[in-house]
Amino acid sequence: MQSTLTVLVALVCVAMAQVSIPPGYKERYPNYYPWAKNARHPRDVTWDKPVGDGKVFGTLGSTDQGLFGKAGYKETIFNDARGKLDAEAYGSRVLGRTGDSNHFGGKLDWANDNAKAALDISKQIHGKTTVEASGAGVWKLDKNTQLSAGGGVSHTGSGKPDVNVKAQIEHKF
């Protein structure tokens, strides 16, 4: 009888411990599910600060798989009759159970009224380099006809790159 009572009290204590939440938690985080396995609110930190002609951005955070951080600098090089050209440089670091990784890269995005193009180059430290380039455009041939065309190239490490091309002519009767 005494062992049954001990087991019953232990089960009640375990059940109470699993459904209890820290004091003040509901007021501080009203939209967070209170009966989740971990009663800790996600603590990601994000910032976006103007510096010079551009801005510095970043994120620090964690998931069940590990810790991560990403930071970079973004700037508009020009925005006039030639179109708009944005440049970005970034880096990231991930610490995880299965290993760590570091990435860095840069990106250029250009667009005007008829066309757009992008180039993204990234490198994993002690890994492969990835290059992606794409472009697309729409041109009016006459008042009822327009030509749209686009394509891209993607290359990771060694081997042949992936190339895609698409074109279309539309005519409204």
Side-chain angles (χ1 to χ4, degrees), residues 134-150:
S134 64
V138 177
W139 299 272
K140 291 205 177 274
L141 302 177
D142 62 25
K143 68 178 187 173
N144 292 329
T145 307
Q146 72 178 16
L147 168 68
S148 59

Side-chain angles (χ1 to χ4, degrees), residues 99-141:
D100 304 342
S101 68
N102 297 311
H103 295 268
F104 66 92
K107 184 168 33 173
L108 288 172
D109 289 318
W110 172 81
N112 70 6
D113 294 338
N114 296 340
K116 61 183 177 180
L119 174 67
D120 189 354
I121 300 174
S122 62
K123 167 96 172 125
Q124 180 177 357
I125 304 294
H126 305 296
K128 296 181 177 183
T129 300
T130 301
V131 178
E132 294 179 5
S134 64
V138 177
W139 299 272
K140 291 205 177 274
L141 302 177

Side-chain angles (χ1 to χ4, degrees), residues 33-166:
Y33 183 64
W35 313 121
K37 206 174 207 181
N38 63 352
R40 183 178 72 80
H41 186 68
R43 296 185 178 133
D44 293 353
V45 177
T46 301
W47 69 92
D48 191 5
K49 182 177 180 181
V51 175
D53 292 335
K55 66 179 177 178
V56 174
F57 62 89
T59 301
L60 294 172
S62 66
T63 63
D64 290 340
Q65 287 76 31
L67 304 171
F68 64 89
K70 181 178 180 179
Y73 178 75
K74 187 173 186 176
E75 181 177 335
T76 299
I77 297 174
F78 60 80
N79 188 3
D80 54 18
R82 300 172 287 180
K84 181 178 179 185
L85 179 63
D86 291 325
E88 181 178 321
Y90 57 87
S92 68
R93 170 88 168 140
V94 177
L95 302 172
R97 286 183 244 157
T98 58
D100 304 342
S101 68
N102 297 311
H103 295 268
F104 66 92
K107 184 168 33 173
L108 288 172
D109 289 318
W110 172 81
N112 70 6
D113 294 338
N114 296 340
K116 61 183 177 180
L119 174 67
D120 189 354
I121 300 174
S122 62
K123 167 96 172 125
Q124 180 177 357
I125 304 294
H126 305 296
K128 296 181 177 183
T129 300
T130 301
V131 178
E132 294 179 5
S134 64
V138 177
W139 299 272
K140 291 205 177 274
L141 302 177
D142 62 25
K143 68 178 187 173
N144 292 329
T145 307
Q146 72 178 16
L147 168 68
S148 59
V153 176
S154 177
H155 188 254
T156 301
S158 59
K160 295 182 179 181
D162 295 329
V163 178
N164 62 55
V165 177
K166 181 180 179 182

